Amino acid sequence: MHIFSQLFQYEHPWSHVVIGMWRKYPNPKCTHVVSVDVIDRSVDPETGIIRTERILGCKQKAPRWVVKLFGGSEDAFVREVCFVDPATQDANITSVNLSLSQFATCYEVVRYTPAGPHRTNFSQTAEVQARTRLWQTAANGLEKWLVQRFEQNAQLGKTAFTDVLRALWEERHGHLQAAAA
Amino acid sequence: MASSLSPECTPLKTTYDTCFNAWFEGYLEPAVSKTPAERTAYSKEKADEFEQKCGKVWKDYKACVQNAMKASGLEGALQQARDEHSLAVPPKAESSGH
């Protein structure tokens, strides 16, 4: 099993990050995410917790041996379940791959929590695990490749979302200031 | 906004996302500042409002994307993922390490 994790802070309040979360894609820095669909969503009428289940479609160039051995294609799909709890100011996003999932799983958990009034903690952990003892060597290679892809995309995702948040909130503050002037 | 996995669903998806985003922005900040006593009434009111504002386009978009999932052969993998981790309730929050 391979584990990846990173911690980071966004220079935006929690509510701004969570509002921006739904506008992350499409993103010129994350061109591997080509589609995003909501397949289920509920607003709990008691707690106010919003649960959203999405399918993300990605295009990833897999090494030829991965495609040959596992029959993968360029199109890969991920299931993501996101909980936003305004009472505790916690956004929790869990993702797992649907493609190649018979061979290996990449289980990712992202959390956004407030770090004071103007900053937001971002934590991300991912566990990549091959499912079968057969093909152990190949599966280990697949794990390594998935971890590499994950690390590259994690870096891109961070800078990409930073851009989105800056553009979104600077533009709005600009409008507000213009309106106030 | 990102496309749908099926181009024919993208217009419905765009309308739905726009509806949700507008509702969510109105919802979130007041929701954060509610006291526990106020929360239930507010949540109920806003859940009803969301259904009233976005419920119809959601029904159409959901039907479209369900067909697209079927056509892409993703249903089996989705079912397996749901069986392994239903994620029906928020995962137990670990300390955020801060």
Side-chain angles (χ1 to χ4, degrees), chain A residues 151-180:
Chain A
E151 286 178 1
Q152 286 165 12
N153 290 335
Q155 293 310 322
L156 286 172
K158 201 164 73 179
T159 54
F161 193 32
T162 302
D163 292 350
V164 168
L165 288 171
R166 190 185 303 123
L168 176 63
W169 297 106
E170 278 178 5
E171 187 193 341
R172 292 201 183 180
H173 288 147
H175 285 316
L176 282 177
Q177 278 159 11

Side-chain angles (χ1 to χ4, degrees), chain A residues 15 18 22-23 25-26 35-39 41 45 48 51 53 79 83 87 98 107 111 121 131 172, chain B residues 1-5 13 16 20 24-25 27 29 40 43-44 61 65 81-82 84-87 89 94:
Chain A
S15 63
V18 175
W22 309 112
R23 300 167 189 264
Y25 303 114
S35 71
V36 180
D37 281 287
V38 178
I39 56 167
R41 179 173 270 147
R51 178 187 183 276
E53 187 168 359
R79 173 194 182 223
F83 291 91
L98 297 180
Y107 188 87
R111 286 184 73 201
N121 290 322
R131 277 199 200 267
R172 292 201 183 180
Chain B
M1 259 174 247
S3 329
S4 169
L5 68 97
K13 178 202 138 67
Y16 173 72
F20 171 76
F24 185 70
E25 291 198 27
Y27 168 76
E29 288 190 18
T40 306
S43 301
K44 172 84 173 71
Y61 168 49
V65 81
R82 283 174 166 171
E84 287 178 7
H85 305 280
S86 73
L87 296 168
V89 294
E94 294 154 41

Side-chain angles (χ1 to χ4, degrees), chain A residues 52-71:
Chain A
T52 303
E53 187 168 359
R54 304 198 295 179
I55 300 291
L56 278 64
C58 313
K59 285 226 182 289
Q60 300 272 21
K61 279 254 186 292
R64 201 191 309 229
W65 67 266
V66 171
V67 177
K68 268 196 178 161
L69 202 53
F70 298 100

Side-chain angles (χ1 to χ4, degrees), chain A residues 79 96-98 100-103 105 131, chain B residues 74-86:
Chain A
R79 173 194 182 223
V96 70
N97 59 305
L98 297 180
L100 295 176
S101 58
Q102 63 273 49
F103 303 110
T105 55
R131 277 199 200 267
Chain B
L74 282 169
E75 279 183 320
L78 175 62
Q79 193 53 53
Q80 188 186 354
R82 283 174 166 171
D83 291 345
E84 287 178 7
H85 305 280
S86 73

Side-chain angles (χ1 to χ4, degrees), chain B residues 51-93:
Chain B
E51 172 57 32
Q52 187 215 323
K53 284 188 170 166
C54 308
K56 190 181 175 310
V57 66
W58 166 240
K59 215 172 134 229
D60 295 343
Y61 168 49
K62 189 178 181 182
C64 189
V65 81
Q66 273 174 347
N67 280 332
M69 293 280 293
K70 233 175 257 175
S72 322
L74 282 169
E75 279 183 320
L78 175 62
Q79 193 53 53
Q80 188 186 354
R82 283 174 166 171
D83 291 345
E84 287 178 7
H85 305 280
S86 73
L87 296 168
V89 294
K92 206 78 214 111

Side-chain angles (χ1 to χ4, degrees), chain A residues 92-165:
Chain A
N92 188 308
I93 303 110
T94 306
S95 309
V96 70
N97 59 305
L98 297 180
S99 306
L100 295 176
S101 58
Q102 63 273 49
F103 303 110
T105 55
C106 178
Y107 188 87
E108 182 208 41
V109 180
V110 164
R111 286 184 73 201
Y112 296 105
T113 50
H118 305 298
R119 293 160 74 92
T120 301
N121 290 322
F122 163 80
S123 77
Q124 179 182 37
T125 62
E127 295 173 7
V128 177
Q129 187 155 37
R131 277 199 200 267
T132 168
R133 284 175 179 281
L134 295 170
W135 304 90
Q136 196 64 59
T137 312
N140 279 338
L142 179 65
E143 270 193 16
K144 271 189 204 134
W145 174 69
L146 285 169
V147 168
Q148 277 168 13
R149 289 299 311 174
F150 190 86
E151 286 178 1
Q152 286 165 12
N153 290 335
Q155 293 310 322
L156 286 172
K158 201 164 73 179
T159 54
F161 193 32
T162 302
D163 292 350
V164 168
L165 288 171

